[in-house]
Amino acid sequence: MNVVSFRPGPEDLAYTFGGRPAVRRIAPGTILELYTEDCFGGRVRGPADLPSQVCEFPYLNPVTGPFHVEGAEPGDTLALHFVSIEPARDWGVSTTFPHFGALTATHTTAMLHAPLEERVWVYEIDAEKRTVRYRATRGDFSVELPLDPMHGTVGVAPAAFEARMTITPDAHGGNMDTPELRAGVTIYLGVNVEGGLFGVGDGHARQGHGEVCGTGVEAAMNTVVAVELIKGVATPWPRLEDDEHLMSTGSARPLEDAYRISQHDLVTWSAALTGLDELDAYQLVSQGAEAPVGNVCDANYTMVAKLPKAYLGGAAVYDSAHRRLRELGERYLASR
Amino acid sequence: MNVVSFRPGPEDLAYTFGGRPAVRRIAPGTILELYTEDCFGGRVRGPADLPSQVCEFPYLNPVTGPFHVEGAEPGDTLALHFVSIEPARDWGVSTTFPHFGALTATHTTAMLHAPLEERVWVYEIDAEKRTVRYRATRGDFSVELPLDPMHGTVGVAPAAFEARMTITPDAHGGNMDTPELRAGVTIYLGVNVEGGLFGVGDGHARQGHGEVCGTGVEAAMNTVVAVELIKGVATPWPRLEDDEHLMSTGSARPLEDAYRISQHDLVTWSAALTGLDELDAYQLVSQGAEAPVGNVCDANYTMVAKLPKAYLGGAAVYDSAHRRLRELGERYLASR
Amino acid sequence: MNVVSFRPGPEDLAYTFGGRPAVRRIAPGTILELYTEDCFGGRVRGPADLPSQVCEFPYLNPVTGPFHVEGAEPGDTLALHFVSIEPARDWGVSTTFPHFGALTATHTTAMLHAPLEERVWVYEIDAEKRTVRYRATRGDFSVELPLDPMHGTVGVAPAAFEARMTITPDAHGGNMDTPELRAGVTIYLGVNVEGGLFGVGDGHARQGHGEVCGTGVEAAMNTVVAVELIKGVATPWPRLEDDEHLMSTGSARPLEDAYRISQHDLVTWSAALTGLDELDAYQLVSQGAEAPVGNVCDANYTMVAKLPKAYLGGAAVYDSAHRRLRELGERYLASR
Amino acid sequence: MNVVSFRPGPEDLAYTFGGRPAVRRIAPGTILELYTEDCFGGRVRGPADLPSQVCEFPYLNPVTGPFHVEGAEPGDTLALHFVSIEPARDWGVSTTFPHFGALTATHTTAMLHAPLEERVWVYEIDAEKRTVRYRATRGDFSVELPLDPMHGTVGVAPAAFEARMTITPDAHGGNMDTPELRAGVTIYLGVNVEGGLFGVGDGHARQGHGEVCGTGVEAAMNTVVAVELIKGVATPWPRLEDDEHLMSTGSARPLEDAYRISQHDLVTWSAALTGLDELDAYQLVSQGAEAPVGNVCDANYTMVAKLPKAYLGGAAVYDSAHRRLRELGERYLASR
């Protein structure tokens, strides 16, 4: 088993997809053990650490990577299976941030309102109990919520010579902020440049749908990723697979376009997998698919279209990469 | 137990909320046994029944009602608990419809494309097995999906002397098309005119999130509703409650505004229930809420914001109307 | 010359299109002399008259009408030519209003911000000099702007048994708030119900594009309208014509859909007038049309697509109704 | 007078803003004589040259540049005055392009429609008569439209280490496609990286508002730009100035956000220039500003907010850079 560990130093952190050299070259089949910092670079640690004061634009949402996958060329697909995603600290934070979030004026939904108050919430993470504890900042209300670790940001270098801030989700992946990107899931990303150049970051101990205040329970993570390269198969938008579901994503504004992209991809993908014509697949997705919301706060909004594989007659996708990677991940976990 | 049965004749069907006299007056506490026609008025029964040919605008999406609730006045809230929603026939239909749906040009997302092909899918409904059967129209692909009956359209007469097509969702309810409106759920609707004048229609044997092709598995329903009137409590947008969750809805365009309305209502409602300040409630909802999509095809799009009651310390809402109505519904079911 | 004068009493004012009986029946060919109140019903007369205090929902944006045009049936078109629009008072007002406008959170673009400050600006209107005077409320800055009177709200009873608040623009017209609706212009409105039932209101002494703060220079008006009925010709969305241009309108959200509707109508209308195929007309409109913004603050946003008639080879529209009505208006003005 | 001429070879053309070294270093005060290719790189020359066949993604919308302005640092502003923009050939072209434009499904407004037909229109440009001639592709309809040359694409390297396709407009400028960017206009662009690194391209012989079919009358241009550097003054979004107006731009989706950004900038800019408080400036802009549409087809949509300088009491902006550059341009033209 080919295992590579990488813990970035401060100077290694990436703030874009594209425009940076790889931090490591890895072979397909590698197990990557990664440390990822939280979206604030670990600088927000308590109520007094207002992010607009302790963080500096554009040094936000750092990503661990990029990793060059040997042999990856434009037109191929990277399959990244999240073997495990575990909080690296026993706390996480969430904050409001001036003019960022879904229930506030922003720099693009520009208004004459002063920003909402900037405030920090610190969560205790109990990795044993699998909970995070919310505590109100005013009064003593407190409640435990389930721990449900995920990565907000996973992507590759974009096409067309672009470099994009890690905070923006688009066809190359990026800051999709979907809770569906949890351990046990494989993400498929279309390769745009040689080596693919993927990165991973922005762990959340948990997150609601849409990340309405602009942040999840932001947490540094120890994450294990199993990597495979699928040659000669293109992937237009990031897709996800778990044991039970296929998922397409779309990231755009307005939100209905994110929905359209994800549903359109799921319809055409389902048609290709089953031999159904497009209208028959449209009908099946119409009755069978869920549409979990990713983010409604970032530069593009993200929606996921999610269909049980059982509804497709058990069609295998990407040459069963998910099953293989899942097994590889299990062997890795058993070997530790 | 005060039980009223109502099966509308063709001339009783309503195509607007507002602008029509009540078909019945009922007292709070009544159990209503209703028959509702499907959104095509039952005229689409097979592959040859193209809705644009067998249906006539504006005689679409008929609603059973309106019902005048004695004592209901503007500023009050109606609580309608869905005791049961059962398909009235052993089949349902879904269709494409010219320039209607999320993956097609429409009359408002106006484009130069010809309409997608109009086609009808007939589903067998097996009420015993609790399944519906999808059959492709081209080829022999077929699959069973879970039966999950719901009403797409529930609403009251709007404010401001308006009358609105039943197909449009807005603050008065209407065609929200959310699968969350299933049996076991109580919907709260703000009263705008004397008597409230509520109606129910557009049953679906099941529906995917967003109703992407424009229709669910459309089905006539036998539905039982338990009705309560909550005096002196206003409700700005329709809210739902089941045994485990509180839900706020929003209906608007673009889709992010539907999301904003629903999340804003859930935040301010949660703050009111718990005593949290608005930012603390914003934070709690941000990490705790799901956002199931209603429709992304109607004149307004609909989103739901859904929070486990457990996260709010078990606060009772609307004076525990849901619990009372649920018990009333159980007594009714036991008495049959 | 058939001249009818109508000055509504307070009880005559309409707050919806649809749902009300006509205030007068008139014959095609009639000249109507109308008085219209401002959008506040004349209640905001100085800095202390905050609209949220002196006005009461839903008694906003009153319209003079509806007028029943004899012989008008669904499928016909009303042609309303604005012979003159003159301020009825020597002042107008503009205001902010809580949660209304384009640079503020609203009830649908729902956010956690407190409303912007509510404030009143009083404009002196000089009908001789054709100016209005802006005065800052803080400091002594002042400037004269051109007087350019228009009606924000013109419409007919909607289709499908609907009644809509006068403040909402849609396919039936309503509160489009386009400065293109000035004297010298003919508006074409599709008839949905017997008599058409049109109304006129919401005069502005002038208005910027988009009405960004939510209101123009609101003014009561003395307005003269020449009315014609075009039998057997349907009009899908309100269209305008002046001596030099044809204009299509669209009202929807998001704003690109208002743009799409208006451009789509102008393309298909141009194709019908010239015999061009749709793509050739698309190309001509692409290079030749302007797109003046109507409103970006109402329940639907409004865009106008505007093409010089000269680019269409001088094709006559609606059987030259504009020319005839313009001549009728000139005879009327000469006769006074 | 410091005059620099630059005609790019094929290998010099830039397809991104950011991510490329400068083609020239110039001093503030320079007059730049530029040749710019059309958006198709000159490959579409007749009806048979379908862009999807003769062009290759991502080699679209080439820009001449980038130019490094000596002394330019983040936080400064570049002032680029367009002295002249003249078609370099006696023809231009416009086309439909698969899944691109405002009245078609696109890759983000994803639908199940096949693309509209791809077609090319060739325009004769008569630089003497100042006309372009439209010719229908089906039938013999033809009409002359005014020549009104402009650049669709002007921008600088973006902030945050980004590189963006030239086809995308955003805060750094880019493919705004506004007809307001014609000769006689100065554009102000905020500097994000050392040298600013500006580029110019995508000339249109003319364009309608919104570029509804996706392209203007695309034309290679000989363009003269006078360049000035304004130290220590930041510019959040591109701004324009002509002799009579100030203009703010915004580029975003949905279109109302482009409107909001541009109006918000114009309001706050007007307040800063006049000393008005924000609400007083909001009011003045509300009644005084026009909102010409830029594009409604690109990756972001663009709106312009345009106010007569006379309404601001003649306040000078950017230290009168426009007047100085205009005079420099006149001296240059007189000297040729």
Side-chain angles (χ1 to χ4, degrees), chain C residues 121 123 134 255-256 280 283, chain D residues 121 123 134 256 280 283:
Chain C
W121 289 262
Y123 286 77
Y134 164 90
L255 187 56
E256 55 263 40
D280 273 336
Q283 174 60 216
Chain D
W121 289 261
Y123 286 76
Y134 164 91
E256 54 262 38
D280 272 336
Q283 175 58 216

Side-chain angles (χ1 to χ4, degrees), chain C residues 94-96 100-104 109 116-119 121 123 134-139 141 143-146 206-217 253-256 259-261 263-264 267 274-277 279-293 296 301 303 310-313, chain D residues 94-96 100-104 109 116-119 121 123 134-139 141 143-146 206-217 253-256 259-261 263-264 267 274-277 279-293 296 301 303 310-313:
Chain C
S94 185
T95 79
T96 45
F100 193 74
L103 300 186
T104 170
T109 306
L116 300 178
E117 183 192 338
E118 193 173 0
R119 210 186 276 182
W121 289 262
Y123 286 77
Y134 164 90
R135 289 186 193 284
T137 56
R138 308 285 183 266
F141 185 96
V143 65
E144 277 186 347
L145 309 177
R206 71 166 286 114
Q207 176 203 310
H209 277 175
E211 217 183 1
V212 62
C213 81
T215 53
V217 180
R253 289 189 179 198
L255 187 56
E256 55 263 40
Y259 176 83
R260 285 178 177 125
I261 294 166
Q263 297 276 326
H264 180 274
V267 167
T274 55
L276 288 171
D277 83 353
L279 281 191
D280 273 336
Y282 189 28
Q283 174 60 216
L284 180 55
V285 165
S286 293
Q287 310 312 338
E290 291 180 87
V293 177
V296 192
Y301 303 140
M303 296 285 286
Y311 295 177
L312 298 176
Chain D
S94 186
T95 79
T96 44
F100 192 73
L103 300 187
T104 171
T109 306
L116 299 178
E117 184 193 337
E118 193 172 1
R119 210 186 276 182
W121 289 261
Y123 286 76
Y134 164 91
R135 290 188 194 280
T137 56
R138 308 288 182 265
F141 186 96
V143 66
E144 279 186 345
L145 310 177
R206 71 167 285 115
Q207 176 203 309
H209 277 174
E211 216 182 1
V212 63
C213 80
T215 53
V217 180
R253 289 190 178 198
L255 188 56
E256 54 262 38
Y259 176 85
R260 284 178 177 126
I261 293 166
Q263 297 277 325
H264 180 273
V267 166
T274 55
L276 288 172
D277 83 354
L279 281 190
D280 272 336
Y282 189 30
Q283 175 58 216
L284 180 56
V285 165
S286 293
Q287 310 314 336
E290 290 180 88
V293 177
V296 193
Y301 304 139
M303 296 284 288
Y311 296 177
L312 297 176

Side-chain angles (χ1 to χ4, degrees), chain C residues 55-134:
Chain C
C55 297
E56 183 192 3
F57 177 83
Y59 301 99
L60 287 166
N61 207 42
V63 160
T64 299
F67 296 95
H68 179 116
V69 179
E70 289 167 0
E73 294 169 302
D76 299 340
T77 290
L78 287 185
L80 306 180
H81 178 72
F82 286 83
V83 178
S84 66
I85 306 174
E86 284 299 312
R89 301 189 276 248
D90 61 359
W91 56 269
V93 291
S94 185
T95 79
T96 45
F97 190 88
H99 291 315
F100 193 74
L103 300 186
T104 170
T106 67
H107 292 287
T108 51
T109 306
M111 295 174 170
L112 294 171
H113 297 286
L116 300 178
E117 183 192 338
E118 193 173 0
R119 210 186 276 182
V120 176
W121 289 262
V122 181
Y123 286 77
E124 300 141 47
I125 298 175
D126 189 327
E128 295 293 308
K129 284 177 64 183
R130 309 307 287 172
T131 59
V132 300
R133 178 162 286 281
Y134 164 90

Side-chain angles (χ1 to χ4, degrees), chain D residues 7 34-38 82-93 123-133 145-151 181-183 202-207 217-224 336:
Chain D
R7 185 186 175 99
L34 299 175
Y35 173 87
T36 64
E37 249 315 333
D38 68 31
F82 285 83
V83 178
S84 65
I85 306 173
E86 284 298 312
R89 300 189 277 247
D90 62 359
W91 55 269
V93 290
Y123 286 76
E124 299 140 48
I125 299 175
D126 189 327
E128 295 294 306
K129 284 177 65 182
R130 310 307 286 170
T131 59
V132 301
R133 178 163 286 281
L145 310 177
L147 177 66
D148 187 13
M150 53 163 274
H151 277 288
L181 202 55
R182 53 172 68 90
D202 190 27
H204 298 165
R206 71 167 285 115
Q207 176 203 309
V217 180
E218 308 293 332
M221 293 286 176
N222 290 308
T223 289
V224 179
R336 285 202 300 188

